[in-house]
Amino acid sequence: MKNPDLRQKLYQMFILGTDGDGWRDALKNNLGGIIFFTYDIKTPNQFQALTKMCKDLCSTPPFLSIDQEGGRVERTENIHKGKKYLSARFSAENGDAFIKKQTEEISAELKDFGINMNFAPCCDVDTNPKNPIIGERSYSSNPKEVAHFAQIAAQIYRENKIIPCAKHFPGHGDADKDSHLTLPEISLDFETYEKLHIAPFKQMIDNGIETIMAAHLHVPYFEKEMIPTSLSFNALSYLRNELGFKGVILSDDMIMKGVEAFGPVDACEMGIRAGINVFIYRNSSPQTISIIENIYQKALKDKDLAFRIQEAYEKISDLKNKFLI
C-alpha cells in the first residue's frame, strides 16, 4: 500500500484469528496478518482457498501465520491422514539430519497452503520438569543444543521464504505455570537466567533471526511489579540494546490470561510503548477490533504513541519486503 495513513499503519501491527467476524473488514483496512488454527484447516483445497482469500482482501501482503512446531502443537493434523511431525525434543533425539528433513517437509506443506510465517522454532530451555506448557516443545535442557537445533530449523524456514520466529523470549522453560491461564514468575538470579535461558536467543540474534516472540511471564530483574515481559519496556529494551536485536518483536497471544489483568486497551498501549511491533490476537471479535480503533484514537492525540506506531510499521515493512514482496 502506497502512503498508508496512521490507522492503516496501526492495523499492520496486528495479526488476528478467524474466530469472529472482524477479520475480513480488518484485512480491507490493511491488517498485518492472520493466524490460523486447527479449526481453520478442514481440507487442503479449502485451506488454500482461505489463504488466497486473505491475500486478495488486503492491499498489503499479509502475514499468513501458524504455530506448526510438531508434536502437540501441530495445526494441520486433521488433514495428515495419520502422519504426524515429531516435537522439538523427539526430533532433536534423532539428530541434525532428521531436523533438516522434517523442517523441509513442514516448509513444503506450509508453502503449498500459502503460509509465509511459522511461529517456530521454540528456543525455550527445558529446565523445569513441572513446567506445564513447554516440556517436549523444547529441543533440550542444554542451551547450546537448543540454539544449535533452533538455528537449523530457522535457516530452512528462511530458505523456503517462510519467516521463522524464535519464542518465547526471555525463555519460558523454567516456569511452573501456564501463561495461557495465569502470569508465571521466574525468579532465577539473572546471571543464571542469561546463561541458561537467554543464551539461545542471543545465539539466534547473532545468526540473523528476523522475529522474536515475547512471552507473558514476569521476570523480577526487569520489573519489580508483576508486569509480563511482553509489556515491559525494560525487558524489550534489553532485547534491543543489550542483545542487539534489530528485527520484529511480536507478542504472544494477547487473549492469554498472562496479560488479562492490565485491561485490553491498556495492555496493548503498554506493549506498543514497551516496544512490541506486532500483536497476536487469536480472535477477531468486536472487542478485539475496538482495541485497534481505541489505540488509533489515542495515537491521534499522542505524538509518542504515533511515533512508536511509525517505528513498528517500518520494521514490519522491512520484513515484508524481504519475504513477501
Side-chain angles (χ1 to χ4, degrees), residues 107-289:
S107 298
E109 179 182 46
L110 297 183
K111 282 179 69 177
D112 191 46
F113 291 137
I115 297 297
N116 55 39
M117 174 180 272
N118 190 13
F119 298 126
C122 274
C123 293
D124 303 298
V125 182
D126 184 24
T127 55
N128 188 346
K130 295 182 179 179
N131 192 314
I133 192 62
I134 300 300
E136 68 181 64
R137 297 172 66 192
S138 167
Y139 288 107
S140 174
S141 59
N142 182 316
K144 291 183 179 180
E145 291 182 356
V146 169
H148 172 73
F149 293 129
Q151 183 53 36
I152 291 173
Q155 182 59 27
I156 290 172
Y157 288 131
R158 188 178 294 119
E159 290 170 358
N160 283 278
K161 285 291 184 178
I162 294 171
I163 302 166
C165 180
K167 64 184 187 184
H168 308 79
F169 177 82
H172 213 304
D174 205 65
D176 60 1
K177 294 181 176 64
D178 181 352
S179 53
H180 292 84
L181 307 176
T182 188
L183 178 58
E185 179 176 325
I186 299 181
S187 297
L188 294 173
D189 69 88
F190 197 65
E191 183 179 355
T192 301
Y193 205 116
E194 283 187 309
K195 288 181 179 178
L196 277 180
H197 297 283
I198 293 177
F201 292 95
K202 174 58 176 170
Q203 188 65 44
M204 295 296 281
I205 291 166
D206 290 346
N207 282 283
I209 193 67
E210 291 83 359
T211 74
I212 289 178
M213 181 182 291
H216 302 317
L217 57 85
H218 177 235
V219 178
Y221 174 83
F222 294 124
E223 301 287 350
K224 292 181 180 179
E225 297 179 38
M226 287 292 287
I227 296 173
T229 302
S230 53
L231 307 184
S232 166
F233 178 83
N234 293 332
L236 300 187
S237 295
Y238 170 89
L239 177 58
R240 291 285 190 210
N241 301 326
E242 298 299 321
L243 301 186
F245 182 57
K246 307 299 184 186
V248 170
I249 303 175
L250 301 98
S251 75
D252 207 341
D253 187 356
M254 293 294 287
I255 304 298
M256 291 162 62
K257 298 291 186 181
V259 290
E260 185 179 60
F262 298 89
V265 176
D266 288 348
C268 188
E269 183 179 348
M270 282 179 68
I272 293 173
R273 294 188 191 279
I276 292 290
N277 306 131
V278 174
F279 295 91
I280 299 171
Y281 286 81
R282 69 169 46 238
N283 65 35
S284 54
S285 66
Q287 183 191 43
T288 297
I289 301 300

